[in-house]
Amino acid sequence: MRLSLYVPGDTWVHRLDPMTKLLMTVVGIGLTFLLPSLQGGTLLLVLLLAVLGSAGVLHRAAAVYVGVAIVAGTFLVVQGLVYPGNAVPALTLGPIVFYREGLLVGLRLALRLYNILSATLILVLVTHPSDLVEAVVRRGASPRLGYVIMAVLQVIPTMMATASTIMDAQRSRGLETEGSLWVRLKAFVPVMGPLVTGSLIATEERALALEVRGFSGEGRPTFLKEEVIPPYATAARLVTVAALAAGIAGRWLLGW
Amino acid sequence: MMSERQPIIQARDVHFHYTPGRPVLKGITLDLGPGATAIVGQNGAGKSTFVRLLNGLLKPVEGQVLVAGVDTRQMTVAQLARTVGLVFQNPSDQLFKSRVLDEVMFGPLNLGFSAQEARERAEAALAELGLEGLEARNPYDLGLAERKLVTVASVLAMGTPVIILDEPTIAQDQVGVRQLGAIVDRLARAGRTVITITHDMEFVARHFQRVLVFQDGRVLADDTAEAIFAQPELLAAAGLQAPPITRLGQALGLPATVLTVEAFVEAVRAGEG
């Protein structure tokens, strides 16, 4: 079972170090708010899609886009109907009238949503969570914080698998888990009891196992893997920062 | 309905996979009836998957499993639990009551026994496993070996015609292993069908009349314990070894395959005589 959305690959984006991809994501989100116009938002979306496409993860990104389409659609409908500045009718469906001004506002909001999502997906789809955590810890973040993040990522699929086994064990003792709401509610305690107890025991044992391996020792830990930063990472960072600078300049100097 | 001569469990060309294209069971056909049957084999051979098909937790992808003459696809696990009891390997996967007695009564109550009947069954099962006096204890205050015995008792108390034990001897000391062996013997004598997955070959040699050797999703061999342990090549192919006393007897050239220390001593003395 896999919790993270990471898609393995060997593209130039995959080979970038996590901090560069983190920078790209942060700048992407920053530019989303710096460029509120339709043109600026569209240009940013094209750039982000180009990065995702070159990483070979557009198919996975598409699944996420479809998932949030209902939110984007809601922006369009609500703004198209009730935006206070609505004046020019754009679409009439029987008694329902959508206005141009509201639809444009909704479109800008939807673009903003997809831009934030796309920028985040550069990190989520193309960066393994453990690599990101390790990169952050290398730069001074607390190893405890790193462990907590990784533990949370790991414990959820583990708990899901355990819950399934517990359910099987209780059904094997005649517990009916299928049927009416009451039947399902009655099955809740026999499943949750061992799950919670087991998780607490596992957490304690994991903490003990960490302690006996020197987790609380003083000094900075070393790392199992060498951090590999490709030569083009510097260029990628410069281009990313340049994009941010261009966005700032465009917003305040050119009125984008 | 099942005729009297029909085996209680019939597997017919059973195929199963968790992921399409990666078969776990590849056409298993066998009958299981009264007596003690051990299922042995390497990890990943398909043993646990097979027993989960017997109580309906999993359904065959191809073929069918009949329990008391009824296809498991037509019954829920809870319904099948009246016929097939399964003790899981890890006791933490099922214990949830705050008292041992309540835990052991859980299965019988699910099967519709009255509270009094369930209590009597639970007390009898606990006594059989040497757990008298622990009725009021919290299962999680017990050691792993005792917790495991509580899970065995909880299924034993259900009184199912078929009892499946998944690695029952893990974490048990000699006393626990002897108690489990005595239960297997008693259930087999009483005409119940006892099926056990285990890597404990001494336990198999001492208590099981029939041994199924699983390898790579197939039944590599199906014979008596004596016949199976007389074939070192077969065992090696399945990643197994006969019990040390059996291998010692083979190394000494004893004419018969000995399965226990007692049989070994008897065979050596007979040889001397």
Side-chain angles (χ1 to χ4, degrees):
Chain A
M1 189 180 295
R2 200 180 61 185
L3 183 69
S4 92
L5 295 172
Y6 172 68
V7 181
D10 190 30
T11 65
W12 72 275
V13 191
H14 282 88
R15 288 191 295 273
L16 273 177
D17 61 291
M19 296 311 289
T20 303
K21 283 181 270 190
L22 182 62
L23 177 70
M24 291 164 81
T25 296
V26 170
V27 167
I29 293 171
L31 284 173
T32 300
F33 293 98
L34 278 170
L35 304 173
S37 69
L38 270 180
Q39 294 82 351
T42 306
L43 177 65
L44 179 60
L45 185 61
V46 168
L47 286 173
L48 293 170
L49 288 176
V51 175
L52 289 169
S54 64
V57 295
L58 265 184
H59 61 293
R60 290 297 298 271
V64 181
Y65 294 153
V66 170
V68 298
I70 191 164
V71 180
T74 306
F75 288 157
L76 285 170
V77 171
V78 172
Q79 298 294 338
L81 289 174
V82 301
Y83 177 61
N86 279 344
V88 181
L91 179 66
T92 305
L93 297 171
I96 303 168
V97 181
F98 290 94
Y99 292 88
R100 185 173 181 279
E101 295 78 5
L103 287 175
L104 287 173
V105 171
L107 194 57
R108 277 200 295 273
L109 287 172
L111 257 181
R112 198 173 283 188
L113 174 69
Y114 277 105
N115 278 333
I116 292 171
L117 202 59
S118 303
T120 309
L121 287 177
I122 292 176
L123 197 63
V124 172
L125 294 181
V126 200
T127 312
H128 197 282
S130 63
D131 290 342
L132 177 63
V133 170
E134 191 172 303
V136 173
V137 172
R138 276 180 198 277
R139 284 156 183 82
S142 160
R144 285 176 185 275
L145 176 69
Y147 170 71
V148 167
I149 294 168
M150 288 313 300
V152 168
L153 287 174
Q154 286 168 358
V155 81
I156 294 173
T158 305
M159 281 183 78
M160 287 167 74
T162 306
S164 172
T165 308
I166 292 166
M167 184 84 85
D168 285 350
Q170 307 302 33
R171 288 161 74 204
S172 297
R173 290 199 293 166
L175 179 71
E176 191 60 85
T177 57
E178 297 157 26
S180 66
L181 180 64
W182 174 239
V183 169
R184 288 163 192 262
L185 279 174
K186 276 201 300 185
F188 188 71
V189 172
V191 173
M192 288 309 291
L195 184 63
V196 172
T197 311
S199 298
L200 290 173
I201 292 170
T203 302
E204 186 183 15
E205 287 181 354
R206 196 177 298 121
L208 291 172
L210 282 171
E211 287 306 317
V212 299
R213 288 182 291 165
F215 184 70
S216 296
E218 291 177 6
R220 298 290 302 166
T222 51
F223 296 91
L224 188 63
K225 290 186 289 187
E226 284 294 317
E227 187 175 44
V228 179
I229 300 177
Y232 59 84
T234 307
R237 288 182 189 187
L238 286 174
V239 169
T240 305
V241 173
L244 178 65
I248 294 170
R251 171 73 185 271
W252 277 287
L253 300 179
L254 304 175
W256 286 354
Chain B
M1 282 300 292
M2 187 182 71
S3 72
E4 282 194 13
R5 293 175 60 193
Q6 205 171 18
I8 194 161
I9 290 177
Q10 298 167 281
R12 295 286 172 265
D13 193 27
V14 172
H15 291 254
F16 184 81
H17 62 239
Y18 294 98
T19 308
R22 297 174 68 180
V24 177
L25 298 178
K26 303 170 182 173
I28 290 183
T29 296
L30 55 84
D31 293 338
L32 291 161
T37 302
I39 302 179
V40 299
Q42 282 180 310
N43 292 330
K47 308 182 298 291
S48 293
T49 299
F50 179 67
V51 298
R52 280 162 175 73
L53 285 156
L54 304 186
N55 78 336
L57 284 171
L58 302 174
K59 312 290 183 189
V61 174
E62 281 178 49
Q64 59 179 176
V65 176
L66 303 175
V67 174
V70 181
D71 193 322
T72 54
R73 290 192 186 90
Q74 297 168 9
M75 301 174 79
T76 65
V77 179
Q79 289 168 332
L80 280 163
R82 296 180 179 282
T83 309
V84 183
L86 170 60
V87 182
F88 276 60
Q89 188 174 334
N90 182 0
S92 300
D93 288 340
Q94 70 172 59
L95 300 174
F96 73 102
K97 296 282 191 183
S98 57
R99 294 196 316 157
V100 166
L101 184 65
D102 296 338
E103 186 67 49
V104 181
M105 286 171 65
F106 177 72
L109 288 172
N110 280 331
L111 299 190
F113 290 104
S114 69
Q116 181 59 31
E117 276 178 307
R119 188 184 182 95
E120 286 167 8
R121 283 170 166 269
E123 286 174 344
L126 287 169
E128 186 160 16
L129 284 152
L131 298 173
E132 312 102 314
L134 300 181
E135 291 86 349
R137 294 276 299 277
N138 187 320
Y140 279 96
D141 289 339
L142 306 177
L144 176 61
E146 284 176 322
R147 267 186 283 153
K148 215 163 156 64
L149 292 178
V150 170
T151 62
V152 175
S154 76
V155 172
L156 208 57
M158 292 162 69
T160 51
V162 180
I163 293 178
I164 304 171
L165 306 164
D166 193 349
E167 294 287 3
T169 58
I170 282 183
Q172 296 296 334
D173 58 16
Q174 277 306 306
V175 175
V177 173
R178 270 203 299 275
Q179 281 168 331
L180 287 166
I183 287 166
V184 170
D185 293 344
R186 181 187 70 73
L187 293 172
R189 276 198 307 273
R192 309 264 281 275
T193 301
V194 186
I195 302 160
T196 299
I197 294 174
T198 184
H199 288 95
D200 185 342
M201 294 302 133
E202 289 181 62
F203 189 63
V204 173
R206 191 173 278 278
H207 300 288
F208 291 82
Q209 293 81 50
R210 182 182 176 191
V211 179
L212 300 171
V213 181
F214 272 50
Q215 187 196 31
D216 193 25
R218 292 190 174 90
V219 178
L220 184 64
D222 176 1
D223 214 324
T224 61
E226 201 168 35
I228 295 290
F229 289 133
Q231 303 176 67
E233 300 82 11
L234 170 86
L235 292 168
L240 304 169
Q241 264 193 330
I245 199 67
T246 305
R247 285 183 280 138
L248 180 60
Q250 288 162 346
L252 290 173
L254 293 181
T257 301
V258 294
L259 299 178
T260 62
V261 173
E262 297 83 345
F264 177 85
V265 171
E266 199 175 307
V268 170
R269 282 182 178 158
E272 283 176 350

